[in-house]
Amino acid sequence: MVLEATDVDLTYHGLFINGAWCEAEKGRTFTVSEPATGLPLARVAHASRADVDRAVAAARHAFDHGPWPHTPPDERARILHEIATLIEANAHELAELESRDGGVPLRATTFNDIPLGMHMMHAFAELARRPPYEPMPWNDFPTLSWNFVWRNPCGVCAQIIPWNYAFCMTVWKLGPALATGNTIVFKPSSLAPLTSLALVKLIDEAGLLPKGVLNLVTGPGAEVGEYLVGHPQVDKIGFTGSTEVGRKIMAIAAPHIKKVTLELGGKSPSILLPDADLDKAIDGIIFGMFYHAGQLCEAGTRCLVPSSIYAEVVERLVARTRQLRIGDPLDLATDIGPLISHKQRETVERYIALGREEGAKLVLGGGRPLGAEYEAGPFVEPTIFTNVNNRSRLAQEEIFGPVLAVMPYDELGEAIKIANDTMYGLAASVWSQDIQLALEVARSIRAGTVSINEHHVLNPYAPFGGFKASGVGREMGVAGMLEYTEPTHIHVDFQQKREDKLWWDALLPPVEEA
Ligand code: NAP
Ligand code: MG
């Protein structure tokens, strides 16, 4: 919840511009609070347009005149490895902060989010060390030449992330952009900016980057974010968030022909095949759906089940989901914390009401958990609907909360058709013991990531992103690194004799020799 700052004595976080922490113009701030309790956590600077101008100017200067774009890949790799080491050394503090700020269970932040962030940063360092080589054959038409691709950084990058998965997302935005020699103005979400701020603070205290290479501004997206992405001095936009805002950003980028990478929404299917090992598949489908209370873009929100085992699977999904423990995210025994905000809960509850109106059958949850411990935070029970029509809004729209839609299918072809029948194409999972069959299904799915017998496994060496309205471009892996570069084809001509040159036959001979 974002409140206006009063005189509460809270940790204060300024803007990070040109290597120094500073206040926002006129000292404006906003308060960041803990979703689970509603209590204020920190006061954060609310940037103005002039502040954004200063941050972009610092990044511009560092790119145009600083050493970073020309720093050897090995040296950039060394620095990224050091950042990863800092993450490791501060893992406990970061895990707790991520849990408080985003309401993510400490179990998840401790065992997944922070270690994954560290692993990712090491991986980006490895990728930085070996910029992809794109071999080309010797070319003798029309003249003998040697050719190669030189990868230039894009320039000044505006990077914006949402509140969910904030720490990992910070890592996977900063890592590839830094690895390839860009400079950055980064904006986290106002709802959960604290682990991004903490990481930038660690990088600053260790003195790892030349000044102006990494800048951070905070403030509301519609104001600060929109002004930042439209800034004429910004060359490239890396945005993760809703498809709605993604469309707006693409339009803002169009007049300038800015480069964009967009990681947007999803409505990913979990496709259960008739021969799946149900003990593992049920756990996996539930993890794919309810991890972080369903507030993950690639969450498996539509579960497709063979009609022959539909009743059994529904019963088992319900029974296993019933065992999930909802509660205080700081308790290591909690599986599901609160949603990020009361507004987000209202959205989720509207979808639950809509599901009922559309004729889906509510078989679990649908309400708020009862008890004093749930009063302050926006908790929602894990919810399961069956008899869902894939054309209904419940099945088509991204809810971003703990709501699973279960649908039966008769033949595999029908399952694939339903799986692809959405405007999104971010991820999918296929559950089967027959790997050949699972592979055939995986290759029929129009999505950026398809996991067989898993969900939510993010691999920094693999590209991540979406087909269709789930986005443009890819993050992570070699593809993600290349998104932060512009290729220059360098042609080295070996033809020595004037009469063998390309122009000899094309141009009229020089006048004096005619
Ligand atoms: P959002 O409303 O689109 O906001 C995302 C970020 O954009 C925030 O930092 C927000 O700032 C900022 N923003 C908002 N309006 C803006 C504008 N007009 N111009 C520039 N920036 C603007 O999304 P959200 O509700 O925070 O996050 C949930 C969404 O993110 C879901 O749709 C989810 O699927 C998507 N997501 C996608 C991926 C992926 O990799 N594909 C990963 C995670 C999440 P403030 O919050 O400060 O206002
Ligand atoms: Mg928060």
Side-chain angles (χ1 to χ4, degrees), residues 1 32-35 100-102 191-193 340:
M1 194 188 314
V32 173
S33 54
E34 218 169 322
R100 283 190 191 282
D101 195 20
L191 289 171
I340 188 69

Side-chain angles (χ1 to χ4, degrees), residues 196-240:
S196 308
L197 280 155
L199 181 61
V200 171
K201 218 155 261 183
L202 290 171
I203 296 170
D204 171 42
E205 282 165 7
L208 291 177
L209 294 171
K211 83 184 176 169
V213 168
L214 173 59
N215 306 273
L216 182 150
V217 294
T218 39
E223 198 184 309
V224 177
E226 200 161 318
Y227 183 68
L228 171 63
V229 293
H231 201 292
Q233 295 295 316
V234 166
D235 300 299
K236 151 100 196 178
I237 302 164
F239 171 79
T240 300

Side-chain angles (χ1 to χ4, degrees), residues 66 90 94 105 115 170 175 256 318 328 346 367 504:
N90 293 276
L94 289 168
T170 306
H256 310 266
V318 168
D328 177 3
E346 282 166 27
W504 190 255

